[in-house]
């Protein structure tokens, strides 16, 4: 599953160019090993009393005495009453005599159930015992079902719900302007049980024969190709659509869609039929995704040396969709914005986002669908792997995107930020009760998972990595596997201690900070390297003996070859010394070239001084310039260096040409700007931002030049948005002029300039600006344009207008899944907006929680709303509110937010005055 146009790592201070396709999701299961919630802040000893961990709910997996071999499933949805009728005839195997069958079942009413033993008489069930809390049903029989094969028959009814999970209804507007509904599915993690009674656990695989009875003017799709379509005898307005038998697969990957769609079609070079389904009249918007998909399937076939196992694959845009996309085998479902590209009205960042999401979901067709995790504990392997290989795939399809540098800013640094918290969790999490499963769809499973796989790939080397992957997929195809199974295959392929190395990264939370010092000995450089756990709240007292440690693959490069690794060592103890030969005294040494190892680095002053000129003269690679700055910023937040030192380093980026480096700088300045909104010198940091971004803004100008590419378009949008928001006079005037011409239809804004222009005019706008923007929103035909406007509306400054935007967020005008980004946009735009958004969430909690309950959107909403506060008492207020308004899905998110608020408050107390003095001194005329 791929999760929405992502959160930036900051509060949503920017207009959210897509960063990483990761979900910030439900928090993780409460009693995690390695997390005894040691909230030990240096300056805030009272913090440890702030959080209490809830008890885990008892949970037992389904019994194994009966298991399915094949599901024969007939469903007849009613798109007017929003109900459905179902008939299940499952071929099952009874492994030991029993008088009951226990299955998963939620929000379904069973009418009749019976069991027919092979060659025997039908036995009717005498009762259905629903365990609603555990989403199970026990079918009771009057006699023992004997060991052997049989057929389980169940008639049932259910509701096409409006919760964006299970079998649900999705509202869309037809070209003539009418509201219609599609019936669609979202089953991961545990919602197939809302569509039909089943054994809804990933290890209980079976084949599926699906038949849908649907209106004859609707398209019906499922995992497999249609084998028969005939009139339904009882009602001539309906047709019966039968699909081919699926391969053996897990229930969470089953899918069906009934609605009105157009499509574009192609064939991959290896003969797979690929279709992209779009809203009616928008087939052209499916062409880019079709191009990506037809390139991607052969790439994965070649990479894994395993062919795609189904005859077709459909990609379909769904109007109401909670996640970003879902990898159902052969029928991948997407948000409209993750699949549709309009050649005239889509910006470069949207094209990139679609390419990444398509790459992610198609990777799952092998890694997840063909070989599936045994239990949700291993979800990270599915998602972390797909989140890594989507970049490999996009790099193959679009080398001009420089996508691996973007990975570092989007996934890697974001995972480091979250994993430095005391309320993080290990990558591998014990999961039991269904309510806990969604909790692990977060940046640790996705972004940290992807980062450690990238580190592993680098450690093993591509050839052995591919050899190990092929062995894994062939050994476990159509079966289930665990993390250990993959390590074993990679270990055999590479001859390296993969399990020992990787267990230190997946089974304990956090990561190390690598502390480096050096001495010159003749023509050699001796490095002293040590590791300790990095904590967002600063260094902890304690000896090496009781500290966690990691097996850290460390690479070293020098100024002679910034892009070549001169040496590799595996740091498997607290400290070591490394001798680097033939280094002249005036040459620099850099640890972690390519920023591949998952750790922060603290250099000695002398080493850091020697590296800084490499930022200004661009001799350091872009990814290393980015990594160096990001590490320093993180050290400043943890109180290990002064924030002023980082501001000085940031000023060295004045010649920076690289989009991703600017994007990361912009992100960190957004965090700082948000922090300093709690002071009376907020305007001074805006001036710093204007000074830093003006030269690159002048160089780029407003209009694209001949020969520019994808990254130039991204950079221009980023820089103009940053300058406009910070109140750069010339940018503001030009944005207003262009906005006026756009609204009047004289000169339509290029898609890449819309976000920065909209943001700028709103930030410095009034009620007329807001009215105009809401009108543009109403007129927009593309969901991408609607989302673009929704994300920036919160920039409006006046309190009464902020309130209007918040009310708009819950109106019919905004799709349910997009309400979150409107409220988040308000919270991230100003101190005033943050207060208003938090009050709005509290006032409307019942409606919001009811809308998103049990889904990851509630966690995202909480994070976006409260993460930017920087006053101790706000942490207590947030904690108190969620103690009396339970959100089980967001428990860990709440804890992480409270921790972040306290970290912000400590940072402000520690550094605000120094920052203020530095910003004043910058303005002072030279003596």
């Amino acid at each position: 599953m791929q999760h929405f146009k992502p959160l930036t790592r900051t509060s949503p201070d920017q207009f959210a160019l897509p960063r990483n396709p990761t979900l910030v999701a439900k928090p993780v299961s409460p009693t995690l090993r390695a997390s005894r919630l040691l909230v030990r802040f240096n300056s805030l000893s009272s913090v440890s009393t702030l959080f209490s961990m809830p008890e885990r709910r008892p949970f037992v997996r389904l019994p194994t005495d009966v298991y399915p071999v094949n599901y024969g499933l007939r469903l007849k949805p009613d798109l007017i009453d929003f109900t459905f009728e179902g008939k299940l005839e499952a071929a099952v195997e009874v492994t030991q005599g029993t008088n009951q069958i226990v299955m998963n079942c939620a929000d379904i009413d069973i009418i009749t159930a019976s069991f027919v033993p092979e060659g025997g008489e039908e036995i009717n069930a005498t009762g259905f015992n629903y365990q609603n809390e555990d989403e199970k049903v026990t079918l009771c029989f009057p006699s023992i079902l004997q060991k052997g094969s049989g057929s389980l028959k169940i008639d049932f009814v259910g509701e096409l719900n409006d919760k964006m999970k299970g079998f649900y209804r999705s509202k869309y507007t037809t070209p003539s302007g009418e509201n219609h509904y599609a019936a669609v599915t979202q089953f991961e993690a545990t919602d197939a049980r809302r569509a039909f009674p089943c054994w809804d656990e990933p290890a209980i695989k079976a084949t599926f024969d699906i038949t849908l009875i649907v209106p004859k003017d609707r398209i019906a799709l499922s995992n497999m190709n249609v084998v028969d379509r005939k009139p339904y005898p009882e009602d001539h307005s309906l047709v019966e659509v039968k699909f081919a038998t699926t391969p053996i697969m897990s229930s969470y990957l089953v899918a069906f869609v009934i609605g009105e769609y157009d499509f574009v079609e192609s064939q991959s070079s290896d003969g797979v039929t690929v279709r992209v389904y779009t809203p009616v009249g928008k087939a052209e918007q499916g062409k880019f995704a079709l191009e990506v998909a037809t390139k991607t399937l052969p790439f994965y076939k070649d990479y894994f040396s395993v062919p795609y196992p189904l005859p077709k694959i459909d990609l379909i845009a769904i109007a109401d969709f909670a996640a970003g996309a879902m990898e159902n085998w052969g029928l991948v479902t997407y948000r409209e914005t993750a699949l549709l590209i309009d050649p005239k009205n889509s910006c470069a960042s949207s094209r990139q986002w679609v390419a990444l999401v398509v790459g992610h979901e198609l990777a799952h067709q092998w890694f997840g669908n063909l070989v599936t995790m045994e239990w949700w504990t291993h979800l990270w392997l599915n998602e972390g792997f797909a989140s890594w290989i989507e970049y490999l795939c996009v790099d193959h399809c679009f080398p001009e995107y420089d996508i691996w540098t973007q990975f570092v800013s989007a996934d890697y640094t974001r995972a480091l930020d979250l994993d430095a918290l005391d309320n993080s969790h290990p990558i591998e999490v014990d999961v039991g009760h269904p309510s806990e499963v969604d909790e692990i769809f977060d940046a640790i499973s996705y972004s940290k998972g992807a980062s450690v796989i990238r580190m592993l790939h680098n450690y093993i080397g591509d050839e052995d990595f591919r050899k190990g992957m092929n062995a894994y997929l062939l050994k476990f195809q159509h079966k289930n596997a665990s993390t250990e199974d993959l390590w074993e295959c990679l270990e055999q392929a590479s001859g390296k201690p993969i399990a020992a190395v990787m267990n230190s990264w997946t089974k304990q939370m956090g990561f190390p900070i690598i502390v480096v010092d050096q001495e010159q000995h003749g023509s050699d450089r001796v490095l002293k390297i040590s590791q300790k756990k990095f904590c967002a709240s600063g260094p902890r007292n304690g000896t090496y003996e009781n500290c966690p440690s990691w097996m850290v693959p460390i690479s070293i490069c020098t100024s002679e070859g910034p892009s070549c690794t001169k040496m590799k060592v595996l740091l498997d103890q607290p400290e070591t010394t490394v001798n680097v030969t033939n280094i002249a005294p005036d040459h620099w040494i850099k640890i972690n070239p390519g920023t591949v190892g998952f750790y922060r680095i603290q250099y000695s002053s002398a080493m850091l001084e020697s590296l800084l000129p490499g930022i200004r003269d661009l001799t350091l690679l872009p990814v290393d310039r980015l990594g160096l700055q990001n590490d320093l910023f993180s050290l400043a937040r943890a109180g290990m260096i002064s924030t002023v030192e980082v501001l000085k380093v940031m000023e060295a980026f004045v010649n920076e040409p690289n989009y991703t480096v600017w994007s990361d700088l912009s992100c960190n300045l957004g965090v700082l700007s948000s922090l300093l909104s709690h002071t009376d010198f907020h305007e001074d940091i805006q001036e710093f931002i204007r000074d830093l971004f003006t030269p690159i803004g002048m160089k780029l100008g407003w209009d694209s030049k001949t020969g520019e590419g994808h990254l130039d378009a991204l950079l221009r949008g980023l820089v103009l948005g940053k300058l406009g928001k910070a109140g750069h006079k010339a940018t503001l005037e030009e944005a207003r002029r262009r906005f006026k011409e756009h609204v009047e239809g004289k000169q339509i804004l290029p898609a890449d300039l819309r976000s920065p222009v909209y943001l700028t005019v709103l930030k410095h706008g009034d009620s007329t600006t807001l009215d105009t923007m809401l009108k543009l929103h109403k007129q927009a035909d593309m969901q991408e344009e609607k989302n673009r406007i929704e994300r920036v509306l919160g920039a409006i400054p006046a309190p009464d207008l902020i309130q209007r935007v918040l009310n708009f967020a819950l109106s019919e005008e905004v799709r349910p899944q997009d309400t979150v980004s409107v409220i988040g946009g308000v919270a991230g735009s100003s101190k005033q907006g943050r207060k208003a958004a938090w009050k709005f969430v509290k006032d409307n909690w019942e409606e919001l929680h009811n809308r998103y309950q049990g889904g990851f959107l509630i966690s995202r909403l909480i994070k976006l709303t409260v993460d930017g506060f920087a006053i101790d008492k706000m942490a207590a207020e947030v904690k108190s509110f969620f103690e009396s308004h339970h959100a089980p899905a967001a428990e860990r998110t709440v804890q992480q937010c409270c921790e972040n608020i306290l970290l912000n408050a400590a940072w402000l107390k520690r550094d605000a005055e120094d920052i203020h003095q530095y910003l004043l001194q910058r303005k002072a005329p030279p003596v």
Side-chain angles (χ1 to χ4, degrees), residues 7-8 10-14 670-671 673-675 677-678 682 725 759 763 790-797 799 801-803 805-807 809 818-842 848 859-870 874 878 897 901 904:
L7 281 176
T8 58
T10 70
S11 58
D13 175 78
Q14 297 159 281
V671 171
S673 174
S674 176
L675 184 77
S677 68
H678 298 272
H682 189 235
K725 187 167 187 202
L759 176 78
K763 181 69 183 170
E790 287 160 3
R791 283 200 301 274
V792 296
L793 285 174
I796 199 84
L801 301 180
I802 288 174
Q803 202 52 50
V805 172
L806 289 167
N807 293 336
D818 298 321
T819 296
V820 173
S821 51
V822 181
I823 298 171
V826 171
S829 287
S830 62
K831 184 181 176 182
Q832 176 81 34
R834 195 155 38 244
K835 282 183 179 168
W838 172 229
K839 183 178 186 306
F840 184 79
V841 166
K842 288 189 294 183
L848 289 163
S859 293
R860 184 179 170 85
L861 174 71
I862 293 166
K863 184 171 178 61
L864 286 173
T865 308
V866 305
D867 230 18
F869 285 115
M874 281 308 303
V878 170
C897 289
I901 294 168
N904 289 341

Side-chain angles (χ1 to χ4, degrees), residues 425-443:
H425 64 88
I427 283 179
E428 285 192 67
V429 175
D430 285 331
V431 172
H433 195 278
S435 66
E436 293 170 14
V437 177
D438 273 352
E439 297 181 359
I440 52 174
F441 283 88
D442 69 353

